[in-house]
mmCIF file of all heavy atoms in Angstrom:
data_model
loop_
_atom_site.group_PDB
_atom_site.id
_atom_site.type_symbol
_atom_site.label_atom_id
_atom_site.label_comp_id
_atom_site.label_asym_id
_atom_site.label_seq_id
_atom_site.Cartn_x
_atom_site.Cartn_y
_atom_site.Cartn_z
ATOM 1 N N GLU D 45 254.409 -6.238 -59.469
ATOM 2 C CA GLU D 45 254.864 -7.467 -58.835
ATOM 3 C C GLU D 45 255.586 -7.142 -57.532
ATOM 4 O O GLU D 45 256.468 -6.280 -57.497
ATOM 5 C CB GLU D 45 255.829 -8.214 -59.765
ATOM 6 C CG GLU D 45 256.432 -9.468 -59.159
ATOM 7 C CD GLU D 45 257.531 -10.075 -60.015
ATOM 8 O OE1 GLU D 45 258.074 -9.351 -60.882
ATOM 9 O OE2 GLU D 45 257.839 -11.260 -59.810
ATOM 10 N N SER D 99 251.880 6.175 -44.168
ATOM 11 C CA SER D 99 251.679 6.439 -42.745
ATOM 12 C C SER D 99 250.220 6.732 -42.463
ATOM 13 O O SER D 99 249.462 7.113 -43.357
ATOM 14 C CB SER D 99 252.527 7.636 -42.293
ATOM 15 O OG SER D 99 252.026 8.837 -42.868
ATOM 16 N N THR D 100 249.836 6.550 -41.213
ATOM 17 C CA THR D 100 248.501 6.958 -40.802
ATOM 18 C C THR D 100 248.447 8.480 -40.725
ATOM 19 O O THR D 100 249.472 9.157 -40.599
ATOM 20 C CB THR D 100 248.146 6.359 -39.435
ATOM 21 O OG1 THR D 100 249.195 6.665 -38.499
ATOM 22 C CG2 THR D 100 247.978 4.852 -39.529
ATOM 23 N N LEU D 101 247.243 9.021 -40.819
ATOM 24 C CA LEU D 101 247.071 10.465 -40.934
ATOM 25 C C LEU D 101 247.088 11.138 -39.563
ATOM 26 O O LEU D 101 246.083 11.223 -38.872
ATOM 27 C CB LEU D 101 245.751 10.768 -41.642
ATOM 28 C CG LEU D 101 245.479 12.224 -42.020
ATOM 29 C CD1 LEU D 101 246.610 12.787 -42.868
ATOM 30 C CD2 LEU D 101 244.163 12.334 -42.761
ATOM 31 N N TYR D 120 253.719 10.089 -51.073
ATOM 32 C CA TYR D 120 253.271 9.500 -49.817
ATOM 33 C C TYR D 120 251.838 9.022 -50.008
ATOM 34 O O TYR D 120 251.118 9.458 -50.926
ATOM 35 C CB TYR D 120 253.303 10.538 -48.678
ATOM 36 C CG TYR D 120 252.435 11.715 -49.010
ATOM 37 C CD1 TYR D 120 251.084 11.715 -48.696
ATOM 38 C CD2 TYR D 120 252.955 12.792 -49.723
ATOM 39 C CE1 TYR D 120 250.273 12.753 -49.073
ATOM 40 C CE2 TYR D 120 252.148 13.837 -50.091
ATOM 41 C CZ TYR D 120 250.802 13.814 -49.772
ATOM 42 O OH TYR D 120 250.003 14.847 -50.172
ATOM 43 N N ALA D 149 257.671 6.467 -64.467
ATOM 44 C CA ALA D 149 258.694 7.517 -64.459
ATOM 45 C C ALA D 149 260.079 6.923 -64.258
ATOM 46 O O ALA D 149 261.052 7.351 -64.897
ATOM 47 C CB ALA D 149 258.382 8.532 -63.358
ATOM 48 N N ALA D 205 251.628 41.344 -63.588
ATOM 49 C CA ALA D 205 250.712 40.444 -62.900
ATOM 50 C C ALA D 205 250.303 40.997 -61.542
ATOM 51 O O ALA D 205 251.030 41.781 -60.919
ATOM 52 C CB ALA D 205 251.360 39.078 -62.726
ATOM 53 N N PRO D 350 250.113 34.478 -69.026
ATOM 54 C CA PRO D 350 251.093 33.410 -69.201
ATOM 55 C C PRO D 350 250.781 32.187 -68.340
ATOM 56 O O PRO D 350 250.274 32.305 -67.220
ATOM 57 C CB PRO D 350 252.415 34.052 -68.775
ATOM 58 C CG PRO D 350 252.039 35.217 -67.937
ATOM 59 C CD PRO D 350 250.693 35.670 -68.378
ATOM 60 N N LYS D 356 259.215 17.755 -68.756
ATOM 61 C CA LYS D 356 259.149 16.322 -68.476
ATOM 62 C C LYS D 356 260.384 15.833 -67.742
ATOM 63 O O LYS D 356 260.304 15.000 -66.837
ATOM 64 C CB LYS D 356 258.975 15.547 -69.781
ATOM 65 C CG LYS D 356 258.775 14.049 -69.603
ATOM 66 C CD LYS D 356 258.459 13.389 -70.933
ATOM 67 C CE LYS D 356 258.146 11.909 -70.746
ATOM 68 N NZ LYS D 356 257.773 11.274 -72.029
ATOM 69 N N ILE D 373 248.142 25.243 -74.246
ATOM 70 C CA ILE D 373 247.765 26.438 -73.472
ATOM 71 C C ILE D 373 248.961 27.136 -72.822
ATOM 72 O O ILE D 373 248.805 28.207 -72.250
ATOM 73 C CB ILE D 373 246.741 26.083 -72.376
ATOM 74 C CG1 ILE D 373 247.364 25.157 -71.324
ATOM 75 C CG2 ILE D 373 245.489 25.467 -72.983
ATOM 76 C CD1 ILE D 373 246.463 24.899 -70.118
ATOM 77 N N GLU D 389 260.163 37.317 -64.190
ATOM 78 C CA GLU D 389 260.068 38.202 -65.338
ATOM 79 C C GLU D 389 258.613 38.498 -65.684
ATOM 80 O O GLU D 389 258.248 39.636 -65.959
ATOM 81 C CB GLU D 389 260.751 37.561 -66.554
ATOM 82 C CG GLU D 389 262.264 37.521 -66.494
ATOM 83 C CD GLU D 389 262.868 36.968 -67.761
ATOM 84 O OE1 GLU D 389 262.086 36.487 -68.624
ATOM 85 O OE2 GLU D 389 264.097 37.018 -67.913
#
Side-chain angles (χ1 to χ4, degrees):
E45 176 188 19
S99 69
T100 52
L101 188 55
Y120 58 88
K356 185 174 185 177
I373 66 173
E389 288 184 353

